Amino acid sequence: MKRFLLILLVGLFTSVGVFAQIQRIQVKNPTYLGMVLIEQRDVPTMKSICTYYNLVEQPSEGDFTVFTYSDGTKIRFKKDDTEEGSFPVVQVITNKKPADVNKILKDSGFEKSGDGYYNGSKFAHRRTKCTLTSGAVSTLTFSKVYNTDNK
């Protein structure tokens, strides 16, 4: 009887471990993931974040690494190397309505100013810029803007 209980408990703990590994991490809205990716230093880290959230890697599009989300949202990212340094560019291509995208940006601390949405102080060394292109699909392009007036 003790041996049966021991085998039963070992089997139970083993199955719990297997079920825990199957659990999938999902992001509620992949637009937020674009805001996370723009803060990363390199493409391998960006790829690991997308993999962590169970996005599916697609064939690259030019210099862009591409992942898709289950709702059809496409996330593209790359690093642009210039004389000033390496700058991340993240694009989120989604079928969300422009009003929904505007709300997400405002709720995340972005403010509309001139040609885009900005997060961070205009007096800081750098801040995040998001340009929004609307149509049948909305394209959000996140980039870093460096303040050259503070040098």
Side-chain angles (χ1 to χ4, degrees):
M1 184 65 172
K2 288 182 183 180
R3 199 176 307 168
F4 175 74
L5 287 175
L6 180 63
I7 292 171
L8 183 64
L9 285 174
V10 168
L12 180 64
F13 286 124
T14 303
S15 64
V16 169
V18 169
F19 288 125
Q21 291 175 2
I22 293 174
Q23 180 183 11
R24 297 200 176 263
I25 308 279
Q26 294 267 324
V27 64
K28 183 176 180 182
N29 187 326
T31 304
Y32 293 110
L33 196 54
M35 296 174 208
V36 172
L37 293 175
I38 193 65
E39 300 299 329
Q40 305 312 309
R41 296 188 183 273
D42 56 29
V43 171
T45 302
M46 294 171 157
K47 288 175 86 170
S48 68
I49 290 170
C50 288
T51 303
Y52 177 78
Y53 286 107
N54 292 306
L55 275 72
V56 178
E57 189 167 5
Q58 302 296 322
S60 62
E61 296 175 359
D63 292 341
F64 283 98
T65 301
V66 181
F67 280 83
T68 56
Y69 188 66
S70 59
D71 70 354
T73 299
K74 183 189 294 187
I75 296 181
R76 300 171 10 133
F77 51 86
K78 68 177 180 174
K79 286 285 200 161
D80 282 336
D81 295 320
T82 65
E83 291 178 4
E84 290 85 24
S86 181
F87 301 103
V89 176
V90 177
Q91 291 183 330
V92 179
I93 303 164
T94 182
N95 56 5
K96 301 271 186 226
K97 297 176 187 172
D100 294 339
V101 174
N102 287 333
K103 181 174 179 353
I104 290 169
L105 290 171
K106 289 187 184 228
D107 289 348
S108 299
F110 282 82
E111 294 181 13
K112 177 80 170 143
S113 177
D115 62 344
Y117 292 84
Y118 292 87
N119 189 359
S121 170
K122 63 182 174 181
F123 301 109
H125 173 64
R126 73 175 188 177
R127 61 187 179 154
T128 303
K129 177 182 179 182
C130 178
T131 55
L132 175 61
T133 307
S134 299
V137 294
S138 296
T139 302
L140 295 91
T141 303
F142 295 95
S143 60
K144 290 294 184 182
V145 178
Y146 289 83
N147 190 351
T148 56
D149 295 336
N150 289 341
K151 289 185 176 179

